[in-house]
Each structure stands twice: as structure tokens, then as C-alpha cells.
Amino acid sequence: MNQAVKRSWWKEGIVYQIYPRSFQDSDGNGIGDIRGIINRLDYIKSLGVDIIWLNPVYESPNDDNGYDISDYRSIMSDLGTMEDFDELLEGMHRRGLKLVMDLVVNHSSDEHRWFQESKSSRDNPYRDHYHWWPAEKGTPPKRWSYFDVESNAWKYDATTDAYYLHYFSIKQPDLNWENPKLRQEVYDLMRFWFEKGVDGFRMDVISFISKDTSFPRLPDDAVPDDFISMYANGPNLHKYLNEMNREVLSNYDVMTVGEAPGVTLENALDLVSEDRGELNMFFHFDLMTLDRAPGEVFKMNPNGWSLKEFKRIFSEWDAVFARKGWGSVFLNNHDFPRTVSRWGNDSPEHWRNAATMLQTFLLTMRGTPYFYFGDEIGMTNIRFDRIEQYKDINTINMYKKIATEGGDLDEFLLDQKDAGRDNARTPMQWDETDNAGFTKGDPWIEVNSNYKKGVSVVAQENDPYSVLNYFRRVTAVRKAHVGLVYGSYELLNVNNENVYAFLRSHDKERYLVLLSFSTQNEALTIPGHLNYNRIEKLISNDLIKDDETYKEFLLRPYQAIVYKLS
Ligand code: NOJ
């Protein structure tokens, strides 16, 4: 192992992300809740994961499913009570699981007390908790908004004759980090949760918190994708994260992972290099935009994506963290379509191998692997047909915008079948009873009907060959081989368009990972410079010949094999 890399629990842990609204309802109101998660802790533990990242559970009017927080210190009533939360944390810790919460402090809800005060008068003490542009200065310089029906990030408010800034919906006003009082409020609320014993934070769009408050004019021809780099890495980002680390994070043994659109290979280490004292890890967006149309954030590229580019992205990012800092590896989350539908293949013929191959990939890469609930049973995109089926403010407001502008709504709906965030938000498929055992009431969003066709925990639990049981085996393989966590990474067969092959090396141990992204059988020759006498299979999702000495491989469609070389 690279001696410079210090071992730690958040490097060796496997993360399992839970979108609470969609995981398990316990009281029949159709919305997943904290007690539902408590009831499933033994299941979660059985997967071999270590860290749970919980999407926001704080009080919220739910304009954006909890990413619009109206009280950072209380639990959303739909999801339960603070007593439930305490019991969840205790139940997790008792099982050796860690809990990472979502910290959403680029913006709050407009129903937060701070904003209510802030908007009430220009001289209110909370005025500067947010960004205001007085109307007498004229129309504010254009800023693009993710969820606004007019894509306009400034909203006029007559009470004080001023515009407030909202990068996301009009109900998500951006907090003003340039104000030291606001920063102290944030540090206080972080301490509140750390004192309860939570083990870390995933930080929502943390790369956007610092703004140039002179709000310069941006190029008139900027497209949505351009705004990401214009919003990210503001002038005081590192100053604030460093301060946060000094004042709060450094006092606890906790993990931090920033959601960091706009952070690049070039400036990555500024955020996570140990000597900087900022964050532990972050999520970059290079993979998440690989299949998007040029200049767009939410629209699919009709030309698809190529495995060579996919490999390039993972290889370049691995190299950045080879000596300093630490990476996160992930294929989806609650903002993107389902893993197997997006990067694999969800046809009946290939679904099982594709889902397990992608699991194998994340668990054999360097960096902390993140899984999204349902990945372990191979949940797929629901592909809604009608706008009425969608619940996501992003899809709904884009639809309204296109309708107003007279655009092509059918084309939009077709695109959303692959791009829509709600694909990832349909309920967990537990069993084959009504609503997949998610709720006894009416689910807040439709359940994917394939819960009756093998995509459920119950259908897979006793099948040794299932996606679920493969997941348990492959998490165990990672746990048993620390070299898969810390070992160096070398990409092999760089130009192969259908197979991703790489080598992990750690002290004297070497692991060869072969992953087919193809619907055909693929023959592969491992480059000559790789010398080995013996090859031992650690795991595969399909049949292979065991224990031979060879360099020629024949992979079945979407086959994954991990060998130990000696
Ligand atoms: C990123 C979150 O992951 C997403 O779900 C949310 O809509 C935006 N940030 C705004 O908070």
C-alpha cells in the first residue's frame, strides 16, 4: 500500500444510500419513514454495507422532497419524530453501522424562519442571511436556475421591492455564506447533530456556497451546463470549508463527502487533500454528464455513451487521488436513473449479469463505493408515460416551461423516461404483496410493476444465484481483501470498446478485474507485461473454468470476474 495513505473507516466502508420517502412505510400513509428503516436494519446489515447515507429527514414543506429545509433541528413529521431518529441511530450503532446525514446549506426553504425574517424588511437582522438584489438597481444580471419554470434564479419579492437568489426552486433561497453570522448558524446546527452521535455529512452542492456578491454579468450565450462551472468554486469556498473543518469537523471522528458539481481533476485536491483541512471526499459530475446532450444537464445524448470514455473518467479520477486525498466511486443516486438501466442492461436476458457486473465494478475500485438502495436487487427505471405520474419538481417544472414556450412535450416525456430523477425514487421492492410491501396505503409515487417479476427481496432472498445474494458475496470479497480498497489501479486493454479490465496491486497481492459491458461473448487477451503463474478466481457472476494458468479469456455477456494473481 502507498505508505502515504492513512487507513480509516470511511475509506474501507461501503456506503448504502437511503431515500427515506421511498424505503419502507410503517404507518400506512404511503410515505417511507424512519420507523420503516428501523424495521429493516437487520436486512441492511445483512448486505455487508457499513455506512448509511440518509437523504434529508429534516422538517420541510417538500418542494424538493426535503432538500428545502424549514428547520434544521427537527424531523419531518411525514417521516417520524426525534425519538424515532434517536432509536434509528442507536439501532445502527448497535449493529456496527454508521449514519451519515445530508447537510443542505447552500439554500434553505423559503418557509425557514430565517427567510421569513429576511424578507420582512430590508433592515431585519436576518436580511443578510440570503442574497438580495434591490429593484432600484434594475433587473439583476442573468442567473440560471435548475428548477425554476422560467429558469430564472432571481425572484422578485414585493414586500421589500427586491429580488432574492435561488439556484434551485423559488422555494429554495440561497443562503449567504459571506455573512459570518450565517456560517456560525450552520456550524451550530452541525454540532447539534454530531453531539447526537451522527457519523458524518454528505454536503449538498457544497461547491456552490461561495458567491461573488457583486454578481457580475455572465456571458449572454451561456447554456445550462456552463452555469455549473460559473457557480462552483466561488472566491471563498476553501476559506469557508477550512473554517468549518477547524471549528467543527476536526473535533469529531466523522466522514464528509461533498456533492461537488464543477469541481475538476485540476482543482480536486484543493478540496480533499489531507493537508488542506477541508473535506474527506466528494462526488464529481464527470460520469453523471457522460450520457447527457452537449451543454445540457438533464437531457440525454441520443448518441449514448462509450465504454472507452467511461473508463477514461474512472481512470483519470483514480490517478488524482493516488497519493493524496481520497475518491468516491458511484454510478447513481436519487438524482439519476437506475444503475442497471443506465450503465448496464435491464432486458430480461441481461439484467442479472449487468446488475451484478456493475456491483462488482464499484467493489473492486479504489475509493469509497456508494450504492443506492435497490441496487442490491437490481431495481430498474420505471419509465413513466404521463406527466401526471411524475412527482419531481424538476420534471414537472421543465414540462411547464416547455409547454409555455410551445416546445415538443412528447419528445420531452420520451427523454424523461431515461433521464427523469423519479426513476430512482420509486419505492423499494420488498416482496410480492401489494405495492411491493412498501406500504399498506397509497404510495406517494408508483411502484415499479416488476416487483412481481423477480425484482424483490423476497424473490431473491433464497436464491443463491440472485442479484441480492451476489451482492452479499461481493461485499464480502471486498472486506476480505484490503488491497481492493487501497491497492493501486492500472487500466488494461485501454482501447477495448466492450470490456473494462484493470489490475489492482497492493504489496505483493494483485487482483485482475474483468468486466464485460457487452451483449455478446467477448474474447480478451491480457497484455504480456502482466506476469503470473497462478490465477485464482475470487468471484464471478457467471460460469468460468476454474484455477488455470492463462491469458486468454472468454467472457459471457456482462460477465464480471475477479482473479487473484500470484
Ligand atoms: C442536489 C440534490 O442531490 C438534489 O436532489 C437537490 O434537488 C438539489 N441538490 C438541490 O438541493
Side-chain angles (χ1 to χ4, degrees), residues 19 53 55 64 67-68 104 107 147 168 172 202 204-205 259 333-335 421 425:
Y19 198 68
W53 154 23
N55 288 100
D64 184 21
Y67 280 94
D68 48 319
V104 189
H107 45 268
F147 303 154
F168 294 89
Q172 293 169 297
R202 173 268 186 189
D204 194 61
V205 284
E259 188 200 27
N333 57 42
H334 62 290
D335 291 332
R421 305 198 297 180
R425 299 176 180 186

Side-chain angles (χ1 to χ4, degrees), residues 185-214:
E185 301 260 23
V186 172
Y187 305 155
D188 269 356
L189 75 89
M190 292 174 72
R191 286 186 201 105
F192 171 84
W193 292 99
F194 286 145
E195 290 302 323
K196 274 190 171 289
V198 310
D199 302 291
F201 281 117
R202 173 268 186 189
M203 302 185 182
D204 194 61
V205 284
I206 201 70
S207 49
F208 288 1
I209 56 174
S210 165
K211 280 128 186 148
D212 175 350
T213 49
S214 70

Side-chain angles (χ1 to χ4, degrees), residues 34-35 38 41 54 57 73-75 79-95 97 99 101 192-199:
I34 293 177
R35 186 139 303 280
I38 295 173
L41 283 176
L54 207 54
V57 291
R73 287 180 169 80
S74 63
I75 298 293
L79 303 183
T81 63
M82 193 58 93
E83 286 68 43
D84 295 336
F85 176 84
D86 292 340
E87 194 181 323
L88 173 69
L89 185 60
E90 192 274 324
M92 288 183 54
H93 284 169
R94 193 158 21 91
R95 290 169 177 84
L97 297 166
L99 177 59
M101 306 274 283
F192 171 84
W193 292 99
F194 286 145
E195 290 302 323
K196 274 190 171 289
V198 310
D199 302 291

Side-chain angles (χ1 to χ4, degrees), residues 23-26 40 427-441 447 451 456:
F23 194 64
Q24 175 72 79
D25 180 21
S26 72
R40 295 295 185 176
M428 178 65 182
Q429 295 165 205
W430 294 105
D431 59 36
E432 295 178 358
T433 64
D434 288 352
N435 302 316
F438 164 69
T439 181
K440 297 221 176 325
V447 180
Y451 74 88
S456 76

Side-chain angles (χ1 to χ4, degrees), residues 213-269:
T213 49
S214 70
F215 293 108
R217 255 187 97 91
L218 298 176
D220 289 334
D221 56 355
V223 292
D225 189 40
D226 294 335
F227 280 96
I228 295 181
S229 48
M230 295 191 274
Y231 287 171
N233 312 307
N236 294 316
L237 174 66
H238 297 293
K239 181 175 150 205
Y240 299 154
L241 292 178
N242 189 263
E243 179 182 86
M244 177 198 279
N245 188 299
R246 236 183 12 257
E247 295 209 14
V248 190
L249 300 170
S250 59
N251 299 321
Y252 303 91
D253 175 22
V254 289
M255 137 178 172
T256 50
V257 54
E259 188 200 27
V263 173
T264 61
L265 293 163
E266 289 71 34
N267 60 21
L269 288 177

Side-chain angles (χ1 to χ4, degrees), residues 7-295:
R7 290 185 68 163
S8 78
W9 60 265
W10 47 264
K11 292 178 181 167
E12 293 173 28
I14 299 168
V15 182
Y16 184 75
Q17 181 193 346
I18 294 181
Y19 198 68
R21 290 182 85 71
S22 303
F23 194 64
Q24 175 72 79
D25 180 21
S26 72
D27 59 8
N29 70 353
I31 299 173
D33 48 38
I34 293 177
R35 186 139 303 280
I37 303 173
I38 295 173
N39 294 341
R40 295 295 185 176
L41 283 176
D42 287 334
Y43 166 79
I44 296 167
K45 180 72 187 171
S46 81
L47 301 175
V49 299
D50 310 280
I51 302 165
I52 294 182
W53 154 23
L54 207 54
N55 288 100
V57 291
Y58 315 97
E59 196 53 79
S60 162
N62 279 314
D63 194 48
D64 184 21
N65 288 355
Y67 280 94
D68 48 319
I69 298 169
S70 54
D71 183 350
Y72 289 96
R73 287 180 169 80
S74 63
I75 298 293
M76 190 194 299
S77 42
D78 283 346
L79 303 183
T81 63
M82 193 58 93
E83 286 68 43
D84 295 336
F85 176 84
D86 292 340
E87 194 181 323
L88 173 69
L89 185 60
E90 192 274 324
M92 288 183 54
H93 284 169
R94 193 158 21 91
R95 290 169 177 84
L97 297 166
K98 305 266 191 188
L99 177 59
V100 168
M101 306 274 283
D102 224 301
L103 182 72
V104 189
V105 288
N106 173 69
H107 45 268
S108 72
S109 162
D110 66 337
E111 296 183 30
H112 194 290
R113 190 178 57 87
W114 299 337
F115 189 73
Q116 294 298 315
E117 294 276 350
S118 182
K119 71 181 242 186
S120 66
S121 76
R122 286 194 181 189
D123 56 9
N124 185 282
Y126 288 89
R127 184 67 170 179
D128 291 337
H129 272 44
Y130 297 85
H131 296 284
W132 291 96
W133 180 275
E136 61 273 19
K137 281 172 69 180
T139 312
K142 181 180 160 152
R143 289 293 181 274
W144 179 79
S145 159
Y146 280 84
F147 303 154
D148 189 65
V149 274
E150 290 165 3
S151 303
N152 179 2
W154 291 106
K155 170 81 180 157
Y156 178 73
D157 189 62
T159 323
T160 58
D161 192 27
Y163 299 82
Y164 65 86
L165 184 71
H166 63 94
Y167 283 175
F168 294 89
S169 90
I170 53 172
K171 288 184 68 60
Q172 293 169 297
D174 281 45
L175 289 163
N176 179 9
W177 275 72
E178 314 309 315
N179 177 355
K181 284 200 196 121
L182 180 273
R183 301 206 297 278
Q184 287 306 323
E185 301 260 23
V186 172
Y187 305 155
D188 269 356
L189 75 89
M190 292 174 72
R191 286 186 201 105
F192 171 84
W193 292 99
F194 286 145
E195 290 302 323
K196 274 190 171 289
V198 310
D199 302 291
F201 281 117
R202 173 268 186 189
M203 302 185 182
D204 194 61
V205 284
I206 201 70
S207 49
F208 288 1
I209 56 174
S210 165
K211 280 128 186 148
D212 175 350
T213 49
S214 70
F215 293 108
R217 255 187 97 91
L218 298 176
D220 289 334
D221 56 355
V223 292
D225 189 40
D226 294 335
F227 280 96
I228 295 181
S229 48
M230 295 191 274
Y231 287 171
N233 312 307
N236 294 316
L237 174 66
H238 297 293
K239 181 175 150 205
Y240 299 154
L241 292 178
N242 189 263
E243 179 182 86
M244 177 198 279
N245 188 299
R246 236 183 12 257
E247 295 209 14
V248 190
L249 300 170
S250 59
N251 299 321
Y252 303 91
D253 175 22
V254 289
M255 137 178 172
T256 50
V257 54
E259 188 200 27
V263 173
T264 61
L265 293 163
E266 289 71 34
N267 60 21
L269 288 177
D270 293 348
L271 213 56
V272 294
S273 183
E274 293 78 3
D275 47 13
R276 302 267 311 178
E278 296 188 20
L279 303 180
N280 297 144
M281 296 174 263
F282 66 88
F283 300 124
H284 67 76
F285 272 63
D286 286 3
L287 185 78
M288 294 299 111
T289 47
L290 175 65
D291 59 356
R292 300 294 150 119

